[in-house]
Amino acid sequence: ERKSMIISDEEKRNTAYHEAGHALVAALIEEADPVHKVTIIPRGMALGLTMQLPLDDKHSYNREYLNAQLAILMGGRLAEEKFMKHITTGAGNDIERATDLARKMVCEWGMSELGPMSFGQKDEQIFLGREINQHRDYSEATAIRIDEQVQEIITAGYNRAKQIIDDNLDALKRIAEALLEREILDGKEVTQLIQ
């Protein structure tokens, strides 16, 4: 926790709605890990945090689980758009993580319409201290198709999160207001606020 970080009321409110968006979407998607805790107390560079804990150890993830993660990542930005009527740089890390995840789904794990293929051969440069270089081993036409698939996967996650938020606006507001009041909610409290 960074108790020394001073946050304006407006920024705190924005963070509460952002985290409430993540928590709501995570709680209402069956394939997602259960919500463990949500907080608007700053940690490191993050102004807030929604923590999920898996019920059991996972060593590989199916497509449904990964699509759920994408929707959860989009929940924060959507809540900001809906309730704060703006989008902030706070969602930047979520968008970066979603893009990276979708790109891995397409290029590494064969989870797109391009089929079970790997794109972009990785090379570890030992001399440069484990820096990984990626070689493009595909055509420009394939690169365009990869980009289209990545965008399609992210858009599907965005639309799924939007539907969940639109269908549960009151619950999202209750979670955000409870966060503003108490700063930390556990998973059980989040579930109670949704019902």
Side-chain angles (χ1 to χ4, degrees):
E1 293 180 15
R2 278 182 63 185
K3 293 188 186 293
S4 62
M5 193 181 224
I6 296 163
I7 300 168
S8 69
D9 287 347
E10 188 186 337
E11 204 158 30
K12 201 172 190 176
R13 181 166 207 76
N14 195 79
T15 302
Y17 275 92
H18 182 100
E19 295 306 329
H22 287 313
L24 176 78
V25 175
L28 291 176
I29 291 183
E30 204 175 301
E31 304 90 0
D33 292 324
V35 174
H36 174 64
K37 181 170 80 171
V38 188
T39 179
I40 57 168
I41 297 170
R43 292 173 190 301
M45 294 305 291
L47 297 178
L49 177 74
T50 299
M51 188 187 297
Q52 296 169 264
L53 289 179
L55 294 171
D56 49 7
D57 288 343
K58 286 188 174 100
H59 301 290
S60 65
Y61 303 95
N62 63 30
R63 194 178 188 167
E64 291 73 26
Y65 178 86
L66 298 173
N67 284 328
Q69 293 307 113
L70 288 169
I72 294 162
L73 286 165
M74 293 295 147
R77 178 190 165 117
L78 277 156
E80 284 184 28
E81 277 179 48
K82 197 81 172 166
F83 287 92
M84 306 309 290
K85 306 293 184 224
H86 62 234
I87 48 177
T88 67
T89 55
N93 182 253
D94 297 333
I95 291 167
E96 193 178 316
R97 285 170 53 202
T99 305
D100 184 49
L101 179 58
R103 190 162 289 284
K104 282 181 176 172
M105 288 171 76
V106 175
C107 294
E108 291 179 32
W109 304 323
M111 295 182 177
S112 76
E113 289 173 20
L114 297 180
M117 289 181 66
S118 174
F119 301 98
Q121 188 179 12
K122 284 194 168 87
D123 260 1
E124 282 199 28
Q125 297 289 331
I126 295 154
F127 304 110
L128 302 175
R130 287 185 41 136
E131 187 178 306
I132 295 175
N133 283 346
Q134 196 132 16
H135 292 301
R136 215 171 92 173
D137 55 2
Y138 47 86
S139 69
E140 190 59 39
T142 301
I144 290 166
R145 289 181 65 207
I146 289 169
D147 289 342
E148 286 168 354
Q149 287 296 300
V150 169
Q151 187 171 11
E152 206 172 286
I153 290 169
I154 291 171
T155 302
Y158 182 88
N159 290 338
R160 186 176 184 187
K162 185 175 187 330
Q163 188 65 60
I164 291 169
I165 287 173
D166 286 346
D167 292 346
N168 297 279
L169 292 172
D170 291 343
L172 193 143
K173 195 171 181 181
R174 285 193 299 272
I175 296 167
E177 295 303 322
L179 277 170
L180 285 167
E181 195 181 307
R182 292 181 286 200
E183 293 190 328
I184 297 177
L185 298 172
D186 65 28
K188 202 176 287 180
E189 290 168 319
V190 170
T191 303
Q192 288 167 350
L193 289 163
I194 291 170
Q195 294 166 348

